[in-house]
Amino acid sequence: SNRPLSVCFSFIYTAAVFLWCGDNRAARQVLEKLMAHPNWHALPSMHATAFALLGALQIREGKVDRGIGLVRSAVASLRSDRQNLYLAAAVGTLAKGLAATGHVEEALSVVEGALAEAGEGSEMSHFPELVRIQAEILLALAQPDEARAEAAIERSLSAARRQAALSWELRTSMTLTRLRSKQGRGREG
């Protein structure tokens, strides 16, 4: 339709898909188009989501500290503006970035805070992924907590199955398989 709002929304959703698929170049191109769009400044409600996506891209490209800063700021803006559509994904990105830089305790606090706010019964499509990220962080602690991680993995699998979210179920199953392999139970995994 070429309506400015529709075009900008399509850029936001397309960038997220490209990131999810690992196509960083295409994600960058779409985000650049979004931020160069003539109506970008008139759509401040999209800015936090776009900056969260840009931060995720920077983390993937190795500019981890800059990316974490963008995502942290975007999460704060998304929360204050009560924009929950991309909030869970942004929190997951922030937690993974923090864990990757050795801030594992902070990463765990971030993801567990989001889970406590949301609750399993909420309408949050990213719930299984947040719980899976929690499990991975529990396994990355200086003293890994395998029991809590396994419980989180089961919770993630259960939520993914209830949602019929095969991609979340597959990602969680892969996390479980890696854990089983590490435990010497690879065949079971």
Side-chain angles (χ1 to χ4, degrees), residues 38-124:
N39 292 82
W40 168 249
H41 296 292
L43 301 168
S45 63
M46 291 187 170
H47 292 185
T49 301
F51 289 127
L53 291 165
L54 182 59
L57 176 63
Q58 289 181 346
I59 290 169
R60 284 182 179 211
E61 293 178 336
K63 302 169 193 156
V64 181
D65 291 332
R66 188 180 319 162
I68 287 173
L70 269 176
V71 176
R72 188 187 304 273
S73 176
V75 165
S77 293
L78 290 167
R79 278 195 175 117
S80 70
D81 294 342
R82 292 184 174 86
Q83 293 186 34
N84 298 324
L85 190 59
Y86 193 73
L87 180 59
V91 167
T93 297
L94 178 59
K96 288 187 292 188
L98 289 167
T101 58
H103 299 96
V104 182
E105 294 289 340
E106 183 182 1
L108 186 60
S109 175
V110 164
V111 77
E112 288 182 344
L115 289 169
E117 288 174 14
E120 193 165 348
S122 70
E123 293 294 322
M124 187 168 66

Side-chain angles (χ1 to χ4, degrees), residues 1-169:
S1 69
N2 211 24
R3 292 185 180 136
L5 188 59
S6 298
V7 169
C8 290
F9 268 112
S10 72
F11 287 152
I12 289 267
Y13 290 113
T14 304
V17 170
F18 283 135
L19 280 172
W20 204 30
C21 295
D23 191 341
N24 294 348
R25 185 186 58 77
R28 178 166 298 287
Q29 289 174 343
V30 170
L31 287 170
E32 287 171 355
K33 285 180 185 178
L34 171 65
M35 292 176 183
H37 192 277
N39 292 82
W40 168 249
H41 296 292
L43 301 168
S45 63
M46 291 187 170
H47 292 185
T49 301
F51 289 127
L53 291 165
L54 182 59
L57 176 63
Q58 289 181 346
I59 290 169
R60 284 182 179 211
E61 293 178 336
K63 302 169 193 156
V64 181
D65 291 332
R66 188 180 319 162
I68 287 173
L70 269 176
V71 176
R72 188 187 304 273
S73 176
V75 165
S77 293
L78 290 167
R79 278 195 175 117
S80 70
D81 294 342
R82 292 184 174 86
Q83 293 186 34
N84 298 324
L85 190 59
Y86 193 73
L87 180 59
V91 167
T93 297
L94 178 59
K96 288 187 292 188
L98 289 167
T101 58
H103 299 96
V104 182
E105 294 289 340
E106 183 182 1
L108 186 60
S109 175
V110 164
V111 77
E112 288 182 344
L115 289 169
E117 288 174 14
E120 193 165 348
S122 70
E123 293 294 322
M124 187 168 66
S125 62
H126 280 75
F127 185 83
E129 177 66 353
L130 279 180
V131 179
R132 186 195 69 79
I133 292 168
Q134 176 191 31
E136 288 195 343
I137 294 169
L138 287 165
L139 294 170
L141 292 168
Q143 300 277 324
D145 191 338
E146 287 187 12
R148 279 185 63 205
E150 286 190 45
I153 289 168
E154 290 303 323
R155 187 174 175 202
S156 175
L157 283 171
S158 176
R161 288 176 182 140
R162 275 195 310 279
Q163 291 180 1
L166 297 177
S167 61
W168 293 146
E169 188 176 351

